[in-house]
Amino acid sequence: MLTFLVRRVAAGLVLLYVLATTAFAMMSLTGSDAARNIAGNLATPAQIAVKKHELGLDRPWIEQYAQWLGHAVRGDFGTSWFGGDSVSESLVLKAPVSLSIVVAGLLLATVLSVVLGVAAAVRRGWLDRVVQATAIVGYAVPSFLMALMLSATLAVQLRWLPATGYVPLADSPSGWLQSITLPAISLAIGAIAATAQQVRGSVIDVLRQDFVRTLRSRGMSERRVLFRHVLRNAAPPALTVLSLQFISLVGGAVVIEKVFGLPGVGSAAVTATVNGDTPLVMGVVVYLVLIVVAVNLLVDLAYGWLNPKVRVR
Amino acid sequence: MRRMVMAGVALALVAVPACNGGAGTTASATGDDTLTLSIGNAHTGWDLASAALGDNIQYYEPVFDSLVRLDTKARPRPNLATSWSYDSTRTVLTMKLRKDVRFTDGRALDATAVRKSLLHNKEGTNEAAGKLRAIDSVAAVDPRTVAIHLSAPDPQLVVNLGDPSGMIASPEDLAAKGGPVGSGPYVLDKGATTNGSTYAFTRNPHYWNPKAYPFDKIVIKNISDPTARLNALLGGQVDWARITPQTAQHAKSRGLEVQGHADSVEGLYIWDRTGRIVPALGKVKVRQALNHAFDRESIVEKLNLGYATATSQMATAGSTWYDTSLESNYTYDPAKARKLLAEAGYPHGFTVTMPDVSSVAPGQQVVMTQALEDIGIKVKVDKIPFTRLFTALQSGEYAMSWFKLQSGQPWDFIQSELAKGAAWNPAKDFDPKLNSMIDKAQRAQGAAQTAAFREINAYLQDHAFNAPWDVLDAVQGNSKKIKVTPRAFVSAVPIYDMAPAG
């Protein structure tokens, strides 16, 4: 198990290095003109040149990257070129916002997709058809559109929930819940649709297997068969879909944070990329890759727990 | 049972937040004594040397006081400086300072502090610093008097001292490493502030002019997405925000106040007036033809939904150098445009490559391309990313393009588009006559200076430097609980021009 873990962590670090290098190269070679954006529209070419020199943008990108990497491995991600804030501190402030909506979205997706998927598989008939049709619609509607619709109706029209902004959990638990509800629902709908279908399919497959028939013939109750045996066997494929959905939720959060004016990592990533704020973009890249690697590791561990044969590989 | 569980989960997810009182009450945190603003631009830090202008001035205004205050017509009025005067060469500006003003760190605001702060602000590379370019040195004549020495007369300097360029920070922490230290009406409430998203300010109990700021608390939220900004306004979470002409009607119908005020001159900007890239543009008749190609009234009504004012001159209506009589010179007349092109030797028009601006001005791109094709000019649209647009234009890659610049203050406009070395003069110094006119205006004063600027405006129109269509409005919405008086020629509204309604 330890070798398995070490291998996974090493693969994660390689992925982090490759993605960070690619991101830095892309920011440097095709990114926007940060010096000009900082200096403003009325800056003269001479002023822009001074700013470029100040930021080190007049040096080859590989040299800039080596310097960034040297600091990054020591945990120093520098300061944002625009706000002047420490990138690490900025991410510490923004990460709870993004994690709140992503984790809440994932929990929502997990609970609802399992409930809907299992109900559709067990009940079949009209419920199955409704779940499938709803899933197709849910999957087809982009999360940003869902966000705009929810915001326009529940927040702006009815004023049930805030249209924008984030309240930290420590400040007000109810305010926090209100501020993340609509973004989390917007994010979760696509994931619910995809995962519910997967759960439904897996449960139907397992229900058709011989061991289920055997268990039933022994007089085991339907509930026990379902919760003790069927769900455990149907879980791994659903877990795979959920882990992929998590990555997709992290990506979706970028747009959702914009729509709801949330000061999260995604929102910062968009602004920083447009402005060409390389230190902040790189900080966000490292943060996101680490999250994705960690989640994949957790999923692998969960697989191992569910199916000991996996650990041998 | 299963049905009950499912229903319970669904109900809990939807109902729990609503049971907490609903966002309509709690999220609308703006009591009568709190003013909540939403700004699209990100904050660029508290060091005034790196201050941006435009909407960003609202970030600085609560904590830093400025030497002068600009009234709603952008005229300078006494503030930290109680009076000022120029010497006969107009290169030394002497300002008398208010007594008994203290920074929030307890230090006195005196001539030495003003000197250090101005010189620090000037050293930056952002917009506020750019407005102080003419300053050579600053002398503290006595504790209440500063003398600002200029390398050449700057007709705009006193007005610029009403913006972050002229805001004064404590000399002990000019770089504002630990946060802003000024003498403004408010202090930053660090506990309620989240850098990059929400900035909260509470009253500075020692401020000398508290009546000018009726709100006890200011909250500024950075919301970059225009839809989210509008939703925050409609949802009652903020009291004021910049919105777009396209959403103005919706905002009005939901009971908000909507105002538009003159901001920037929009149109076809001709960068290659020497004809280096497109020889035809070197001929004045060709440039004049371009001015007859646009149906300005239609652009104002259909494209900008009335939130603009048609114009054919570069000066903004209401500014000192605006001349109503010039408005009839370039009417919409495609036939006349074709005739002028023929007289210039281009009876079949010519081809020009222009940068893609569809990401910021999609309607304008369509209208502009069609209008030019109507008079025989073929447009090739070059697909470049918007992030590279400004650099490409400034480095002279394109002969002309859609663009907009502020022109409410003549000297500012001259410095940004006409002067040698100006950011938006990629053709550089090409017109000696214009330069001598600029030189004359720079050294004149009073009515003579106004007349000189008007002459420049007429010259720009006569020689068809650009083909302006309209003065675009900065559109802003606010809740009816506050009263807002926009300041002319700037997109942002100063906080001191906002007050509780009634």
Side-chain angles (χ1 to χ4, degrees), chain A residues 265-288:
Chain A
V265 176
S267 187
V270 174
T271 311
T273 307
V274 171
N275 285 338
D277 192 343
T278 302
L280 189 51
V281 170
M282 292 308 295
V284 170
V285 167
V286 170
Y287 162 83
L288 291 179

Side-chain angles (χ1 to χ4, degrees), chain A residues 32-33 36 38-39 41-44 51 82-83 108 115 151 156 159-164 174 177-178 181 258-259 263 274, chain B residues 6 13 16-17 20 22-24 26 44-45 125-126 197 224-225 228 231-232 234 237 254 387 390-391 394 416 421 423-424:
Chain A
S32 57
D33 190 342
R36 108 122 296 126
I38 294 170
N41 296 350
L42 300 179
T44 61
K51 194 77 207 174
F82 283 77
L108 197 58
V115 170
S151 176
V156 173
R159 294 202 177 190
W160 287 355
L161 292 159
T164 59
S174 67
L177 193 57
Q178 288 178 45
T181 299
K258 276 282 194 195
V259 173
V274 171
Chain B
M6 284 168 68
L13 286 165
V16 167
N20 281 325
T26 54
T44 55
T125 47
N126 211 324
S197 63
S224 60
D225 186 77
N231 285 344
L234 294 173
Q237 292 178 282
R254 295 297 305 273
T387 48
F390 287 174
T391 306
Q394 282 193 339
S416 64
W424 295 105

Side-chain angles (χ1 to χ4, degrees), chain B residues 38-270:
Chain B
S38 170
I39 303 184
N41 296 2
H43 181 45
T44 55
W46 293 112
D47 185 345
L48 289 166
S50 60
L53 299 178
D55 289 1
N56 291 59
I57 66 170
Q58 289 172 332
Y59 285 118
Y60 305 103
E61 195 193 338
V63 282
F64 296 112
D65 214 0
S66 51
L67 286 169
V68 302
R69 168 174 291 184
L70 303 179
D71 67 12
T72 53
K73 291 186 176 170
R75 293 171 301 200
R77 299 287 182 240
N79 199 47
L80 287 177
T82 52
S83 62
W84 52 88
S85 61
Y86 273 108
D87 72 339
S88 59
T89 65
R90 299 192 67 75
T91 56
V92 181
L93 172 67
T94 304
M95 298 188 117
K96 285 284 178 191
L97 302 174
R98 180 172 297 282
K99 289 177 188 167
D100 303 326
V101 177
R102 291 200 168 267
F103 295 105
T104 49
D105 61 5
R107 289 182 173 80
L109 186 147
D110 56 13
T112 305
V114 170
R115 176 183 165 275
K116 285 184 178 173
S117 200
L118 281 182
L119 291 176
H120 174 80
N121 294 358
K122 172 189 154 65
E123 288 311 306
T125 47
N126 211 324
E127 291 169 333
K131 300 281 183 182
L132 302 177
R133 248 175 276 165
I135 295 180
D136 243 1
S137 63
V138 181
V141 179
D142 63 49
R144 303 261 68 84
T145 312
V146 282
I148 301 170
H149 294 262
L150 308 178
S151 54
D154 181 346
Q156 189 65 28
L157 181 65
V158 178
V159 171
N160 288 337
L161 295 179
D163 274 334
S165 313
M167 288 181 178
I168 307 301
S170 169
E172 297 304 313
D173 191 11
L174 291 170
K177 291 289 182 198
V181 185
S183 62
Y186 299 91
V187 289
L188 182 71
D189 180 353
K190 288 183 184 169
T193 291
T194 305
N195 279 340
S197 63
T198 304
Y199 300 85
F201 307 88
T202 53
R203 272 197 186 279
N204 172 5
H206 306 297
Y207 186 60
W208 62 275
N209 189 19
K211 283 185 183 168
Y213 295 88
F215 297 98
D216 287 338
K217 196 174 170 191
I218 306 285
V219 176
I220 297 178
K221 296 180 176 181
N222 173 212
I223 304 178
S224 60
D225 186 77
T227 307
R229 220 162 43 235
L230 177 70
N231 285 344
L233 195 59
L234 294 173
Q237 292 178 282
V238 302
D239 301 311
W240 180 94
R242 281 278 304 279
I243 59 174
T244 62
Q246 288 70 30
T247 55
Q249 195 50 46
H250 179 48
K252 267 188 193 172
S253 70
R254 295 297 305 273
L256 295 170
E257 300 271 3
V258 175
Q259 295 186 71
H261 62 284
D263 183 29
S264 48
V265 175
E266 169 189 59
L268 177 68
Y269 278 63
I270 303 166

Side-chain angles (χ1 to χ4, degrees), chain B residues 296-379:
Chain B
R296 295 176 171 85
E297 299 294 345
S298 169
I299 291 173
V300 166
E301 289 310 314
K302 292 177 184 160
L303 209 56
N304 295 318
L305 306 175
Y307 287 98
T309 308
T311 191
S312 59
Q313 60 184 298
M314 290 311 294
T316 299
S319 63
T320 52
W321 68 321
Y322 180 79
D323 186 348
T324 313
S325 69
L326 297 180
E327 289 298 358
S328 54
N329 290 345
Y330 291 123
T331 52
Y332 173 51
D333 192 344
K336 189 170 180 184
R338 281 190 290 269
K339 186 167 168 279
L340 282 166
L341 283 175
E343 285 172 15
Y346 296 92
H348 306 295
F350 54 90
T351 300
V352 61
T353 302
M354 293 186 11
D356 180 22
V357 292
S358 59
S359 59
V360 280
Q364 281 85 341
Q365 174 134 314
V366 172
V367 165
M368 177 175 65
T369 307
Q370 186 59 53
L372 292 175
E373 289 189 352
D374 286 349
I375 63 166
I377 297 171
K378 189 169 168 48
V379 176

Side-chain angles (χ1 to χ4, degrees), chain B residues 382-454:
Chain B
D382 199 3
K383 297 271 179 197
I384 64 163
F386 178 72
T387 48
R388 227 186 67 73
L389 177 67
F390 287 174
T391 306
L393 294 179
Q394 282 193 339
S395 56
E397 286 180 34
Y398 295 99
M400 57 189 200
S401 72
W402 168 87
F403 206 63
K404 56 178 182 172
L405 278 176
Q406 286 184 334
S407 69
Q409 305 285 5
W411 188 248
D412 265 0
F413 180 78
I414 287 167
Q415 291 303 296
S416 64
E417 210 207 341
L418 305 176
K420 186 180 181 182
W424 295 105
N425 181 10
K428 302 305 166 199
D429 190 15
F430 73 98
D431 191 331
K433 186 171 179 200
L434 177 67
N435 280 334
S436 70
M437 292 169 80
I438 291 172
D439 194 53
K440 181 181 154 196
Q442 183 179 11
R443 287 165 207 289
Q445 50 184 305
Q449 189 174 62
T450 304
F453 282 135
R454 285 182 167 220

